[in-house]
Amino acid sequence: MAIRWANFEYGVVDTTWPTHVEEQERLLNCTHWYRLQAHTNIPNYWPYLGAFRLRGRLEDCELHVFRRGQDRIFVARAVSDNVLWLNVTLSSHKEALKATRTFAMSVEVIGSIYIPARAVRGLALSDRSVDWTEIGVDRAEKMDGTGLRSQVAKEAIKVMQKYLERHEQFQRFDQNSGPPRSSPEGRRAAAQTREGKETKHRFYFIPLKAVVNDRLGARFERKLAQLRTHVTPSLVTPSLVFHGAPSQEPQAVVMTGRNELMARTVRRADRAWVALAAVTAARESCEVSQWLQEEAVDQGYHVLCISEQEPIQLYVEGLQSQMLQLQGGKLVERLEEKLHIRRHLEFLEEGQSTVTQWPKQSWAVFTSEGERWRPEELDELVEGYRGVALLFEGGVWRWPPVRPGFRRSVLPGVVLETVATRPALFSLDLAPESGTADASASRLLRHAAATAERRLFRSETESQVSEERTSDQAWLSYGSTPELRELKDFTARVLRIPATYFEEKLQVLRYQKGQYYDAHRDYWDPAEFPYEDRFLHANSQTWLMRHATFFWYLQRPEKGGETWFPRAHGGPIPWDEWTACDSRGVKMGKDRVAILFYSLYSSGDVDDYSWHCGCPVENGTKWAANSWVWNQPFEPPFAQRMPPHPAELGDAEL
Ligand SMILES: O=C(O)CCC(=O)C(=O)O
Ligand SMILES: [Fe+2]
C-alpha cells in the first residue's frame, strides 16, 4: 500500500475553543470530526509528533487546537483527503501511544512515529555543524513542482547524512537529559544506567531511503541497518522522518515514500521547533502466518496480535482455529485466565504412581523481534507496541517450526529451515553468497576442532564411561578464546536466547570408525532421575533443564555418522534399536553445518520426541560440537517465579 502525499499545509493554531456558538457548531457538525484528548499534568512534558492517515475524508473542517484546563484537545483538519498532521504535546511516550489509540478509533493510523522533539531541538542547538535549514523555502518552492525534485532530494540527503553521522551525539544527548523519570522510558533508562547497560532507545528516527540513485540508496540502506542495531528493529521502518528547524520559518520539508521524493513547504512553524514525521505504508494488521502452527505440535506457545484495532487477538497454542479476542481488564489476568497457565510441571516417576511437581519460572511475552517482557510489564509495554507478540509459558524463546520446509531468515545470511515440527528440528543454512556468515562459521568451527584435538578424552554419560557412547570428547570453555566467544555469541543470536543461558562449555566430539552414541535425549527425564536438586535452579528455585541443542558439524566422516532422529514426524521410541539409523524419522548431518532442536516445549515440559542418536561412523572421522542452552540463565538476572495466584495464596493461608 503506497501512501499518497497530497498537497497540504501544516500548521497548528494555538487557539482556544471557539467561543462563538456558531463556530462551535460548525466544528461539531463537520462530517468527520476527530478529537484527540491528552493530559499534560506532568510539568516535565514530553512532546511528540504524530502523522496519521485517515480512512475517511475530512471535509470543511479547519485545523484547531484548543485547551480546556490541563487537558489539551486537538481537533485537526485533514490537510488532504487522507493525510493529517497532528502535533501532540503529551506527558510521555505511553501517553502519546494511548492518545493515538483513542484517535485510532475514528481514523486508521497506518503508522506513526514519535520523536521526542525536545531532543531534536537539543541536537539542533547543541550541534551547530548540522545546518537544519539547509534547504531554504525559496529553493524548495522553486524546485517543487518544477521538475527539480532530484535536486531537493540531494539536498535532503546531505542534511540527512550529517544528521545520521551525528547519531552518536544524539544518543549522548538523550542519555544526559533523556526522557523524564516519570515516564516508562525514563524509568527504564534509569534502571539500565544503574545496571551500567547501554540505554535502549524507545524512540527512533527513520532515515531517508534515498531514491535518487542506487549508490545513495545503498548508503541509506547501510545507515538503516546501523540504526536497527541501536534500537528495537521493529520500530524502524524504511521510510523517512524529516526535517527539523528551530525558530526558522517557513521551512522546507522533504519526504520520501517508498519510491518517491517530494518537497513541501511548511507555512507556519510551530513554536520553537518543528520535527516532522512521514509514515510509510504500514502493516494494517499483524502478519501472523509465519508464527502460527499448522498443527498443535507445541505446548504453551501462544501468538498475540496487537494492532490498532482493539481488541488484542490471541491465537491459543498458535492455532488459527483457536483465535480469541481479549476484551477489557488487565491483559495479564486475561491471559492467565484464558490460557490456564500452570505454575508447576508434573512428572510421573518411572514405574511408580508418584507425581513429582516442579515450580516453573514465569511465563513471558516476546515481541516478534525477541524483546522479552515479563508479565508485570506487559500492560504498559503493550500500549507502545504494534505487531505480533509471542507468549512462551516456559519463559524462553523457542522458534516456532511452522511446518517442514519452512525457512526463516533469523540473521542476515542465516536461515533456519524446519526439518520436523515434532520434535522442533531445524537445520542451519548459511547463505554462501552472503560470504561473511558462512566464512566466519567455518573459521570458528575449524578453530574449535583444532583446540579440542589436544584435549580429547573418552566420552562419558552421567560421568561414567559407557558403551552407550563411545566417542572421544573435549570441553572447551567459551571464554577461553575470542573465536569461541564469537561462536557462542553467534549461537545466542540465532537462538534469541541470551548467552547467560548457555552451558559454559562447548562439548566437542570426535567419532572414529565404529564409534557412536546411542539414541538418547539431551534432557534428564525426571521420570528416570527422580531426585530433586538437579532440576531446581539454585537461585530461582524453579525448573531448570536443557532447553535446546545447537549441534555443529565440524567435519563430516566419509560414511555414516549422521544424527538420527527416530521419532521425527511422530514415530515411536526405537526400543533396543538405539543405533539402528534406519529409514524411520530423519537423519541429519549430511549437508548443513549445524542443526537446532528443542528438548523442551514452549511450556517448559520435556519433549519426548527429541530422541536422537549419533550413528556409527563407517568410514573416516566425524567432528561435531554441542552448544547446550538451558531454560534459565546461570548468571543474574535469574528467572522468576510467577507471583502466586490468588487461589494459591488462599491455600497457603489455610
Ligand atoms: O553425534 C551426534 O550426531 C549426536 C551427538 C549427541 O546427540 C550428543 O552429544 O548429545
Ligand atoms: Fe544428544
Side-chain angles (χ1 to χ4, degrees):
M1 177 177 60
I3 186 161
R4 276 191 305 118
W5 290 99
N7 280 328
F8 68 90
E9 291 177 11
Y10 170 79
V12 176
V13 189
D14 202 354
T15 79
T16 48
W17 177 240
T19 44
H20 287 294
V21 175
E22 298 95 293
E23 181 67 358
Q24 290 177 5
E25 275 179 357
R26 197 177 71 74
L27 269 178
L28 291 168
N29 286 334
C30 286
T31 33
H32 299 79
W33 188 77
Y34 302 125
R35 188 174 98 144
L36 176 69
Q37 188 162 341
H39 302 273
T40 54
N41 48 8
I42 300 173
N44 190 6
Y45 66 79
W46 190 234
Y48 288 90
L49 286 165
F52 307 91
R53 198 181 90 125
L54 308 183
R55 185 185 285 132
R57 278 176 73 96
L58 282 178
E59 288 162 315
D60 309 323
C61 300
E62 295 300 320
L63 173 65
H64 277 264
V65 176
F66 54 94
R67 243 182 269 251
R68 210 162 30 196
Q70 289 280 41
D71 294 350
R72 291 179 180 207
I73 300 172
F74 300 82
V75 180
R77 177 191 180 220
V79 284
S80 78
D81 283 3
N82 57 4
V83 177
L84 169 71
W85 274 104
L86 201 66
N87 179 352
V88 195
T89 304
L90 296 159
S91 52
S92 69
H93 184 83
K94 191 175 153 198
E95 282 293 321
L97 289 158
K98 240 199 230 157
T100 311
R101 267 200 161 179
T102 316
F103 191 72
M105 288 176 188
S106 36
V107 298
E108 176 190 20
V109 177
I110 65 157
S112 54
I113 60 162
Y114 300 91
I115 306 171
R118 200 173 48 160
V120 173
R121 181 175 52 181
L123 177 76
L125 296 177
S126 65
D127 183 3
R128 286 266 153 228
S129 58
V130 176
D131 182 1
W132 289 85
T133 53
E134 192 161 334
I135 309 168
V137 69
D138 302 348
R139 278 150 78 202
E141 260 180 354
K142 262 191 241 137
M143 289 175 211
D144 189 18
T146 54
L148 288 172
R149 280 187 183 151
S150 64
Q151 186 62 32
V152 179
K154 278 183 194 148
E155 298 273 348
I157 285 160
K158 267 198 248 159
V159 178
M160 278 305 289
Q161 261 168 342
K162 284 189 187 168
Y163 177 81
L164 290 169
E165 275 156 22
R166 276 156 190 82
H167 180 61
E168 301 250 313
Q169 214 153 335
F170 190 98
Q171 285 198 340
R172 268 205 303 280
F173 174 81
D174 173 60
Q175 272 161 12
N176 293 340
S177 56
R181 290 286 154 106
S182 52
S183 73
E185 279 68 44
R187 283 201 299 276
R188 194 174 302 124
Q192 280 171 343
T193 312
R194 274 202 301 282
E195 285 170 25
K197 285 194 185 149
E198 206 181 300
T199 303
K200 198 163 186 187
H201 301 274
R202 294 292 295 181
F203 59 84
Y204 43 95
F205 6 89
I206 303 176
L208 179 67
K209 191 171 181 206
V211 289
V212 181
N213 63 43
D214 291 347
R215 193 175 55 81
L216 284 171
R219 219 145 139 182
F220 276 94
E221 280 296 327
R222 280 202 298 278
K223 285 287 177 194
L224 193 69
Q226 238 176 40
L227 201 68
R228 286 195 166 115
T229 63
H230 288 292
V231 297
T232 307
S234 61
L235 297 181
V236 181
T237 61
S239 172
L240 168 76
V241 177
F242 227 46
H243 160 96
S247 66
Q248 309 280 330
E249 60 158 344
Q251 316 143 14
V253 182
V254 183
M255 302 181 200
T256 60
R258 262 163 208 247
N259 276 315
E260 57 184 333
L261 192 138
M262 292 183 183
R264 292 279 171 256
T265 303
V266 174
R267 292 268 158 72
R268 246 179 264 109
D270 176 47
R271 305 199 187 94
W273 54 264
V274 168
L276 294 181
V279 287
T280 46
R283 289 165 274 170
E284 270 168 291
S285 55
C286 300
E287 288 164 21
V288 280
S289 62
Q290 57 169 318
W291 301 105
L292 297 180
Q293 314 192 68
E294 292 188 353
E295 281 175 77
V297 287
D298 191 8
Q299 308 166 15
Y301 168 73
H302 314 282
V303 178
L304 295 158
C305 166
I306 304 160
S307 70
E308 293 300 337
Q309 298 102 36
E310 280 269 315
I312 290 172
Q313 293 172 339
L314 168 68
Y315 297 84
V316 179
E317 300 292 338
L319 294 169
Q320 178 85 48
S321 56
Q322 294 193 31
M323 200 267 277
L324 301 174
Q325 314 261 18
L326 294 178
Q327 315 259 15
K330 285 195 73 175
L331 185 57
V332 176
E333 286 163 13
R334 279 179 287 162
L335 285 168
E336 290 193 351
E337 178 206 333
K338 295 278 180 228
L339 299 171
H340 310 288
I341 301 177
R342 289 169 297 150
R343 284 138 213 272
H344 293 94
L345 296 174
E346 292 183 349
F347 300 93
L348 204 59
E349 276 182 33
E350 205 168 52
Q352 319 260 328
S353 55
T354 328
V355 170
T356 55
Q357 262 205 354
W358 304 94
K360 223 158 72 66
Q361 66 172 296
S362 169
W363 53 275
V365 169
F366 291 74
T367 67
S368 56
E369 297 296 333
E371 189 179 307
R372 188 178 199 273
W373 299 343
R374 288 176 295 123
E376 303 89 285
E377 310 171 291
L378 195 61
D379 279 270
E380 192 177 277
L381 291 168
V382 156
E383 290 283 341
Y385 183 75
R386 297 291 169 270
V388 173
L390 310 172
L391 190 157
F392 297 103
E393 289 187 18
V396 201
W397 182 275
R398 184 188 196 266
W399 284 111
V402 184
R403 73 182 97 79
F406 181 79
R407 289 170 63 82
R408 188 193 306 269
S409 169
V410 291
L411 289 175
V414 181
V415 171
L416 278 183
E417 180 169 336
T418 305
V419 176
T421 54
R422 181 179 281 136
L425 169 64
F426 306 82
S427 66
L428 182 79
D429 193 1
L430 300 175
E433 65 277 9
S434 80
T436 45
D438 198 26
S440 74
S442 347
R443 176 175 57 84
L444 299 177
L445 299 179
R446 272 199 308 276
H447 169 86
T451 315
E453 192 155 23
R454 299 189 289 272
R455 314 204 193 150
L456 288 173
F457 62 92
R458 174 67 202 276
S459 293
E460 294 171 349
T461 38
E462 287 296 302
S463 310
Q464 282 175 9
V465 167
S466 83
E467 285 319 300
E468 288 168 25
R469 179 180 204 171
T470 60
S471 56
D472 293 315
Q473 69 182 48
W475 290 99
L476 304 183
S477 162
Y478 288 107
S480 62
T481 69
E483 288 84 354
L484 291 167
R485 264 195 293 275
E486 216 182 302
L487 191 71
K488 180 182 184 178
D489 288 346
F490 173 79
T491 319
R493 279 188 296 132
V494 170
L495 284 167
R496 292 211 175 153
I497 297 180
T500 50
Y501 287 53
F502 278 55
E503 208 157 282
E504 64 184 18
K505 291 182 175 156
L506 178 79
Q507 190 198 51
V508 180
L509 303 168
R510 186 187 68 184
Y511 297 82
Q512 287 168 321
K513 190 169 172 178
Q515 293 182 326
Y516 59 88
Y517 187 3
D518 275 356
H520 62 282
R521 295 150 301 173
D522 283 359
Y523 61 82
W524 290 268
D525 189 344
E528 266 178 61
F529 301 95
Y531 38 95
E532 302 190 5
D533 290 357
R534 67 193 296 170
F535 304 129
L536 276 188
H537 191 289
N539 289 288
S540 71
Q541 291 297 309
T542 57
W543 171 243
L544 174 70
M545 189 50 71
R546 274 193 192 144
H547 173 67
T549 303
F550 206 90
F551 193 68
W552 296 97
Y553 297 97
L554 313 184
Q555 181 188 299
R556 265 179 275 280
E558 283 144 35
K559 197 157 180 241
E562 300 92 344
T563 311
W564 178 46
F565 289 81
R567 302 200 68 188
H569 309 306
I573 299 172
W575 292 107
D576 298 327
E577 299 174 298
W578 304 122
T579 54
C581 293
D582 55 22
S583 60
R584 285 172 284 185
V586 298
K587 276 191 229 146
M588 305 298 295
K590 288 185 231 155
D591 44 17
R592 300 282 167 72
V593 70
I595 57 170
L596 161 68
F597 59 94
Y598 290 94
S599 287
L600 304 185
Y601 289 111
S602 292
S603 58
D605 289 279
V606 298
D607 182 356
D608 199 38
Y609 287 99
S610 65
W611 284 89
H612 58 280
C613 141
C615 300
V617 168
E618 292 172 49
N619 231 331
T621 304
K622 163 179 165 185
W623 283 91
N626 278 302
S627 287
W628 277 308
V629 185
W630 291 67
N631 67 340
Q632 296 205 32
F634 293 103
E635 288 164 30
F638 299 113
Q640 282 181 342
R641 174 127 169 79
M642 255 194 300
H645 196 270
E648 282 181 347
L649 276 181
D651 286 344
E653 274 162 19
L654 284 176

